[in-house]
Amino acid sequence: MNDIDAWVWWLVGAAALGIPLVVTAMPEFGMLAAGAVAAAVAAGLGGDIVVQVLVFAVVSVALIAVVRPIATRHRSQWPQLVTGVDALKGRQAVVLERVDSTGGRIKLAGEVWSARALDTGRAYEAGQQVDVVDIEGATAIIM
């Protein structure tokens, strides 16, 4: 065991911490692996075991303290890019055929859509600008 340098053991430890990182996708294992790599560098530069363990602990804790809150904040944010029918909600359309609570046709994003009025007592005539509030199947709900 004394024949192998300490920095090699730290790299083996970093690789061992990388395995659960890949299997569980928990970024904390990656931060501990980075701490082990930093300890390997300290060992390679001639630091004794106390320095190596301190470097491992300080780098690992610092990464967890700094990176984890940032990752949590990014994980909780809604995506900025909206696609599909969600991108059509809130857009304006032009009535092509009279639209009421039973149906009609609109031109939305360059395409002809079936539509119905959100307010059952309201009707929209051809040429009017309307707002799309929802999409149900292939029918735009307008107001």
Side-chain angles (χ1 to χ4, degrees):
M1 195 169 206
N2 289 336
D3 293 342
I4 300 176
D5 291 333
W7 66 270
V8 174
W9 287 112
W10 282 110
L11 290 180
V12 168
L17 287 166
I19 293 169
L21 167 67
V22 172
V23 173
T24 65
M26 290 179 58
E28 291 82 3
F29 285 112
M31 296 172 213
L32 292 172
V37 169
V41 170
L45 293 174
D48 64 355
I49 189 67
V50 174
V51 171
Q52 295 168 32
V53 171
L54 282 175
V55 167
F56 170 75
V58 167
V59 170
S60 297
V61 169
L63 283 173
I64 289 172
V66 172
V67 175
R68 192 170 180 203
I70 294 170
T72 302
R73 186 171 49 246
H74 283 287
R75 196 177 308 144
S76 66
Q77 289 180 347
W78 288 96
Q80 300 296 321
L81 179 64
V82 182
T83 60
V85 293
D86 290 330
L88 298 175
K89 295 176 186 176
R91 294 195 55 184
Q92 286 195 335
V94 177
V95 176
L96 297 177
E97 297 174 10
R98 183 184 154 121
V99 178
D100 56 21
S101 61
T102 61
R105 298 256 182 240
I106 61 170
K107 187 163 193 166
L108 172 62
E111 297 178 345
V112 177
W113 281 72
S114 62
R116 81 180 149 79
L118 177 66
D119 182 3
T120 57
R122 181 113 193 246
Y124 302 92
E125 299 301 326
Q128 272 187 281
Q129 291 275 337
V130 293
D131 293 318
V132 176
V133 293
D134 199 9
I135 305 284
E136 291 179 358
T139 303
I141 311 302
I142 63 167
M143 61 181 259

